[in-house]
Amino acid sequence: MKVEIDENSGFCFGVVNAIAKAEEELQQGELYCIGDIVHNNLEVDRLKGLGLRTIDHEAFADLRDCRVLFRAHGEPPSSYALAEKNNIEVIDASCPVVLNLQQKIRAAYERVKANGGQIVIYGKRGHAEVNGLVAQTNGEALVVEREEDLNEIDFSRLVILFSQTTKSLDGFKRIEELVRACARGGVEVNDTICRKVANRIPQLREFAVRHDVVLFVSGEKSSNGKQLFAVCREANPRTYFVQGVADLSDEMFEGAESVGISGATSTPRWVMEEIKNAVI
């Protein structure tokens, strides 16, 4: 049976950078990280074994005189201020794409807050990246996840639209179309989707149809994983969501001559390699 790993799958640059920084810093001793460094339990457990301690913002507020990694999702300004106050050394692994977006949103907010303009972000409410983006506007930005949320926008005011970097390009275009149709006070659209992530969708569709069976590898917490799995299953109904070798079963491969293995931007290459070896 032919088994192929999707060469376009796996960690994006931001995650690769964050993990590399964590591994480097862990050589010097204990290191904290606010939230899971990546939405993949197997990789989180691997780094935990090296000494990485995952904490939440509440625990972060109690830390003093230590080192804390800011993961690729980015952090709000309050985290930087708290680190300085408590003599915490920040190992900043924020993705450059996310940092650039934070700066754009902050600049737009400062420009229009006095004349009633509003910042609207297409993204997942409560997502770490989105929380950091909203914080650039003193919490005033409106987050829309789906079309129904557009009812919360005051279209008599200027709307400045942004997107979480990992959202679907098609979804953003649909939201843009609806916002433009409703806007009475003007609209400014900023396409801030990371193309490295967005381009995965057409690549994944092409990969999925080449194989009899596709194993899509992702952690359950990964928003990107859920999105790409849905794309993959639409292209190939014999697509299975797996987190690791333990999720494999013989029934998945009945009658299959070709198996493709792909994964989310939070999926480690070593996990896909383990699965490939188990299938072979």
Side-chain angles (χ1 to χ4, degrees):
M1 182 165 55
K2 177 186 175 184
V3 182
E4 178 188 8
I5 294 178
D6 181 0
E7 291 302 321
N8 293 307
S9 64
F11 290 157
C12 62
F13 167 79
V15 174
V16 169
N17 180 58
I19 289 176
K21 281 192 175 183
E23 290 174 331
E24 179 182 351
E25 294 295 330
L26 283 167
Q27 294 177 16
Q28 302 175 34
E30 188 177 62
L31 179 67
Y32 295 91
C33 178
I34 305 177
D36 289 342
I37 190 170
V38 62
H39 294 310
N40 185 281
N41 290 339
L42 295 175
E43 183 68 1
V44 169
D45 288 344
R46 183 185 74 84
L47 291 168
K48 181 180 179 181
L50 297 179
L52 186 65
R53 297 184 58 182
T54 302
I55 58 173
D56 57 20
H57 282 92
E58 185 176 354
F60 173 60
D62 293 331
L63 293 179
R64 303 287 188 283
D65 310 315
C66 60
R67 297 181 304 144
V68 176
L69 180 109
F70 288 2
R71 57 187 177 166
H73 298 80
E75 281 292 318
S78 58
S79 294
Y80 290 90
L82 189 61
E84 184 175 0
K85 175 185 175 184
N86 292 341
N87 193 36
I88 293 172
E89 180 185 352
V90 173
I91 311 302
D92 199 344
S94 301
C95 174
V97 177
V98 174
L99 287 177
N100 184 53
L101 175 53
Q102 287 184 349
Q103 293 165 3
K104 286 183 177 180
I105 288 178
R106 183 163 59 248
Y109 171 73
E110 294 295 335
R111 175 167 56 86
V112 302
K113 65 180 181 180
N115 60 16
Q118 57 195 321
I119 307 297
V120 176
I121 301 169
Y122 172 53
K124 182 179 180 181
R125 289 173 177 163
H127 188 280
E129 179 191 326
V130 174
N131 290 343
L133 300 179
V134 172
Q136 308 303 318
T137 69
N138 291 324
E140 295 179 21
L142 175 65
V143 178
V144 296
E145 290 193 47
R146 53 189 67 86
E147 294 180 16
E148 305 89 87
D149 297 333
L150 297 179
N151 294 328
E152 301 174 26
I153 300 175
D154 181 355
F155 286 108
S156 67
R157 298 160 55 195
L158 172 65
V159 176
I160 304 181
L161 179 65
F162 293 90
S163 175
Q164 178 182 343
T165 60
T166 54
K167 291 298 286 183
S168 156
L169 188 56
D170 288 343
F172 180 70
K173 287 180 178 178
R174 177 58 179 163
I175 292 296
E176 175 189 353
E177 179 183 309
L178 294 172
V179 168
R180 288 190 183 280
C182 297
R184 303 189 303 277
V187 59
E188 296 178 15
V189 175
N190 299 273
D191 179 351
T192 50
I193 292 174
C194 176
R195 284 305 187 270
K196 178 65 176 176
V197 176
N199 289 341
R200 282 289 322 278
I201 291 179
Q203 293 166 346
L204 182 57
R205 288 191 180 115
E206 190 275 332
F207 178 81
V209 298
R210 291 209 316 261
H211 297 282
D212 298 325
V213 170
V214 177
L215 302 176
F216 190 85
V217 189
S218 175
E220 291 183 331
K221 296 179 182 179
S222 172
S223 299
N224 171 259
K226 292 173 184 176
Q227 174 190 339
L228 292 180
F229 170 66
V231 168
C232 199
R233 188 169 57 178
E234 182 181 351
N236 185 335
R238 291 193 68 182
T239 295
Y240 300 96
F241 187 99
V242 298
Q243 297 189 72
V245 172
D247 295 327
L248 302 179
S249 65
D250 292 340
E251 292 77 14
M252 293 177 175
F253 311 108
E254 289 181 358
E257 296 181 0
S258 174
V259 176
I261 301 172
S262 191
T265 55
S266 55
T267 302
R269 176 77 183 199
W270 66 265
V271 176
M272 291 186 282
E273 293 283 1
E274 274 192 353
I275 290 173
K276 179 180 179 179
N277 292 334
V279 173
I280 292 174

